[in-house]
Amino acid sequence: MYIEIMDTTLRDGEQTSGVSYTATEKLNIAKMLLEEVKVDRIEIASARISDGEYEAALKILKWGKDNNYLDRIEILGFVDDNRSLDWIHKAGGKVINLLCKGSLKHVQGQLRKSPEEHVADIKKALAHAETLGIKVNVYFEDWSNGMRNSPEYVFFLTHALKDEKIARFMLPDTLGVLNPDEAFSYMKQMVDKFPGLHFDLHAHNDYDLSVANCFAGVKAGAAGLHVTVNGLGERAGNTPLSSVVAMLKDHLQVNFSVDEAKLVGVSKLVEVFSGIGVPKNKPVVGEHVFTQTCGVHADGDNKGNLYHNELIPERFGRSRKYALGKTSGNASIKKNLEELGIELDPESLRRVTQRVVELGDKKENISTEDLPYIISDVLGREAVAEKIKIRNYYSSHVYNLKPVSTLSIEIDGKVYEATSTGDGQYDAFMQAVKSIYDQLGKKLPQLTDYEISIPPGGRTDAFVETIITWELDEWVFKTRGFESDQQAAAITATLKMLNLVESKVKA
Ligand SMILES: CC(=O)SCCNC(=O)CCNC(=O)[C@H](O)C(C)(C)COP(=O)(O)OP(=O)(O)OC[C@H]1O[C@@H](n2cnc3c(N)ncnc32)[C@H](O)[C@@H]1OP(=O)(O)O
């Protein structure tokens, strides 16, 4: 069985409160979804809503035409005396997702029409679409409530349209009210009553049941599912693409075209463009979802993968991590040490574990790269010898003058000095380090990320935590500084980096 995936990140996903993409952002997301992630279809816009939406549709459709994707690029339009169809035609679109009413309440209460009048309007739209060469899918908006409260209307509407030129009947749980039993029963009634029609399920996540409802919908015979990247969408959002893909593969063993190795990449792209961060515990794509926190779990992994399941990180281009904190055990520490290439005797391991647990109890945030420092604290500084020490530094900040930094640094017992300017005080400091490293022919890692945070409370005298991400060849690692001054915290993190690199190079 093959399940079609339609991604509506660019239409329903943009109905997330506060999200609005530029045309270029939309184009980049569209390209990634069709070319890399390989969803079957994308819905990119609602007709008529704004000039910006038109510009974006125009851009994506032009690219779609040049690359033969026009049949897979869809635009939502209304039953509105052909205004939406003309808008889509003018933009170069070839598929409309026509928003029809899927509940009697909506036809009568919102459109103020009878079911017969609504069907007549839809048929007019179908005729006009045909003259424009536009293919039609229909949405039955509010279908879930329609099935609950006015099923005879839903069947009347489907019956009236079933022999028309309609490629897909798209059944939305517009308000996200369904549970899996209802999703199964309502979809099954549609499939049984109207064999041969293609039904998509469009689920919303108001009860956190969207993925479960998709599972039930597919079991009942749905041929396609609607999703968004990161589950973006109005209110509690739509069904997340990544979770649905994992569910379809592992729980239903159906075929689909999405490349699961590309899910993290598209999630990050949408995270940046939408400005909506992915929760760290979001299945498949969240930062911590492949991290074992408990010592017992790490121990099981060490003893022949006893906690193995099908949802392995490597499928998604990720790797298993073992968190360090108060629930760590010897095995968690061992797993992290393996990553760093460090071996400890059992007694040292026990002492280091004890220290990690103590720090974890105080809510310290401990990373793998902190371990060598903890080891050197606990075991008398033998793991990462402090071969590099900062003897003095001075940094200036003077209004309208470039910052200057002077640095005196000891490397393997020898002292080096340098003075540099920079775009900011930290940049000036790093330029001074670089000039010394250049003299010595030593390579410095690239700084790829720099995060600053302060503990809750927001006081100006608060401690500052700076976490810097570095990249040296294939090695990506983080170091942390925790000081009362922002620049001092960055310099502490930098010094840790210099010593880590030195110990790795020497190893
Ligand atoms: C499945 C879903 O998520 S539904 C998504 C629907 N998408 C959107 O609403 C996109 C954003 N919407 C908009 O930009 C605007 O609402 C527009 C451009 C569509 C219409 O704007 P306006 O003309 O100002 O109308 P307004 O927003 O006040 O009201 C909606 C009108 O659409 C009508 N309408 C509602 N559903 C439909 C439909 N499926 N087909 C045709 N008309 C509809 C309403 O009856 C109302 O008409 P009325 O003013 O004659 O009573």
Side-chain angles (χ1 to χ4, degrees):
M1 185 168 54
Y2 183 85
I3 296 296
E4 237 182 37
I5 302 291
M6 193 278 260
D7 181 284
T8 179
T9 305
L10 299 176
R11 197 279 296 172
D12 221 351
E14 209 183 19
Q15 287 173 216
T16 310
S17 182
V19 172
S20 173
Y21 305 109
T22 64
T24 305
E25 287 169 346
K26 276 200 164 194
L27 177 62
N28 278 291
I29 295 171
K31 280 184 181 172
M32 193 181 261
L33 283 168
L34 285 175
E35 296 200 316
E36 292 185 38
V37 182
K38 298 197 187 322
V39 297
D40 297 280
R41 299 144 49 205
I42 56 174
E43 188 178 49
I44 60 160
S46 293
R48 286 178 47 207
I49 69 169
S50 70
D51 292 345
E53 193 81 335
Y54 183 77
E55 285 311 311
L58 206 62
K59 217 172 179 143
I60 297 172
L61 290 164
K62 185 184 172 316
W63 167 80
K65 186 171 181 207
D66 294 344
N67 292 278
N68 246 341
Y69 287 126
L70 279 187
D71 280 354
R72 295 164 59 188
I73 301 176
E74 306 175 357
I75 296 179
L76 179 139
F78 307 92
V79 186
D80 54 3
D81 291 327
N82 301 332
R83 281 183 290 166
S84 291
L85 275 162
D86 292 339
W87 189 98
I88 293 169
H89 180 62
K90 196 168 153 221
K94 288 286 165 207
V95 185
I96 185 171
N97 291 340
L98 189 66
L99 191 69
C100 309
K101 294 299 190 186
S103 69
L104 191 60
K105 198 162 118 189
H106 275 221
V107 187
Q108 294 176 335
Q110 193 171 32
L111 298 185
R112 302 186 196 287
K113 301 245 171 161
S114 69
E116 291 75 16
E117 286 169 323
H118 189 38
V119 167
D121 289 345
I122 295 169
K123 288 192 176 174
K124 268 191 225 153
L126 292 173
H128 190 58
E130 193 165 4
T131 63
L132 298 177
I134 291 180
K135 292 188 182 133
V136 180
N137 302 313
V138 289
Y139 269 117
F140 283 2
E141 193 191 3
D142 203 34
W143 165 79
S144 45
N145 276 318
M147 289 300 284
R148 270 186 185 170
N149 304 319
S150 53
E152 63 296 338
Y153 163 74
V154 179
F155 302 144
F156 161 81
L157 181 67
T158 319
H159 186 76
L161 298 178
K162 71 179 180 15
D163 298 322
E164 298 291 331
K165 281 201 173 155
I166 293 170
R168 299 176 188 86
F169 289 74
M170 312 197 295
L171 307 177
D173 178 16
T174 303
L175 296 174
V177 295
L178 291 184
N179 64 47
D181 286 346
E182 289 171 302
F184 181 89
S185 157
Y186 297 161
M187 182 59 74
K188 185 95 176 50
Q189 290 179 54
M190 300 297 287
V191 169
D192 288 349
K193 275 189 191 305
F194 303 102
L197 296 188
H198 172 119
F199 293 112
D200 279 356
L201 179 65
H202 177 111
H204 276 269
N205 207 26
D206 298 65
Y207 286 92
D208 231 348
L209 285 172
S210 65
V211 179
N213 289 339
C214 286
F215 172 86
V218 169
K219 287 200 99 168
L225 297 174
H226 294 188
V227 297
T228 58
V229 176
N230 298 338
L232 291 184
E234 209 158 333
R235 305 181 316 278
N238 290 52
T239 312
L241 165 68
S242 47
S243 309
V244 152
V245 164
M247 177 278 285
L248 287 175
K249 181 161 182 185
D250 297 348
H251 291 284
L252 289 171
Q253 289 84 39
V254 295
N255 296 319
F256 53 83
S257 59
V258 171
D259 179 354
E260 59 183 15
K262 300 292 162 95
L263 293 172
V264 172
V266 75
S267 163
K268 289 202 181 312
L269 186 75
V270 170
E271 193 176 21
V272 172
F273 288 169
S274 65
I276 307 276
V278 172
K280 291 187 194 312
N281 61 353
K282 182 108 184 146
V284 179
V285 293
E287 186 183 338
H288 291 163
V289 293
F290 294 113
T291 300
Q292 299 277 44
T293 317
C294 291
V296 168
H297 296 164
D299 175 63
D301 282 358
N302 263 343
K303 291 176 179 157
N305 255 345
L306 301 180
Y307 288 84
H308 174 83
N309 66 10
E310 307 222 319
L311 203 62
I312 54 167
E314 289 72 18
R315 277 171 54 181
F316 310 101
R318 306 187 59 188
S319 58
R320 176 79 64 215
K321 299 271 178 223
Y322 293 88
L324 298 168
K326 73 173 184 181
T327 54
S328 299
N330 282 335
S332 321
I333 310 292
K334 251 194 200 159
K335 285 278 185 195
N336 280 278
L337 292 178
E338 270 167 23
E339 210 177 293
L340 295 169
I342 297 175
E343 254 184 68
L344 291 181
D345 61 81
E347 173 53 18
S348 305
L349 183 64
R350 191 194 59 74
R351 284 168 59 199
V352 170
T353 306
Q354 193 183 359
R355 181 71 184 132
V356 167
V357 170
E358 277 165 22
L359 286 169
D361 241 353
K362 290 189 217 145
K363 293 202 189 306
E364 287 273 0
N365 172 12
I366 309 161
S367 72
T368 308
E369 283 71 29
D370 285 327
L371 262 188
Y373 291 88
I374 295 171
I375 294 170
S376 71
D377 265 0
V378 175
L379 307 179
R381 305 185 171 273
E382 62 208 21
V384 173
E386 271 203 300
K387 299 207 171 229
I388 301 180
K389 292 180 185 137
I390 291 175
R391 289 170 61 122
N392 304 94
Y393 70 86
Y394 160 84
S395 285
S396 70
H397 171 80
V398 182
Y399 180 63
N400 266 345
L401 285 178
K402 246 180 169 327
V404 178
S405 188
T406 297
L407 166 70
S408 167
I409 192 168
E410 191 182 311
I411 304 176
D412 263 345
K414 280 195 195 151
V415 177
Y416 301 85
E417 285 187 5
T419 297
S420 291
T421 57
D423 283 342
Q425 290 181 71
Y426 180 61
D427 184 45
F429 174 85
M430 285 308 288
Q431 294 305 330
V433 174
K434 188 171 177 311
S435 75
I436 294 169
Y437 267 56
D438 284 349
Q439 269 176 46
L440 297 173
K442 282 176 182 284
K443 202 167 160 189
L444 274 177
Q446 180 79 24
L447 182 156
T448 58
D449 197 17
Y450 183 104
E451 300 162 58
I452 306 180
S453 56
I454 58 167
R459 302 184 338 252
T460 51
D461 65 349
F463 274 97
V464 178
E465 183 186 61
T466 303
I467 298 176
I468 306 182
T469 307
W470 310 93
E471 204 171 319
L472 184 62
D473 303 324
E474 297 289 284
W475 183 32
V476 178
F477 62 101
K478 289 177 195 259
T479 55
R480 195 169 64 94
F482 193 65
E483 307 283 348
S484 55
D485 175 85
Q486 183 175 324
Q487 198 194 357
I491 289 172
T492 302
T494 307
L495 184 62
K496 285 185 184 178
M497 172 276 284
L498 295 175
N499 276 299
L500 259 180
V501 170
E502 191 73 7
S503 69
K504 186 127 175 152
V505 169
K506 293 271 155 67

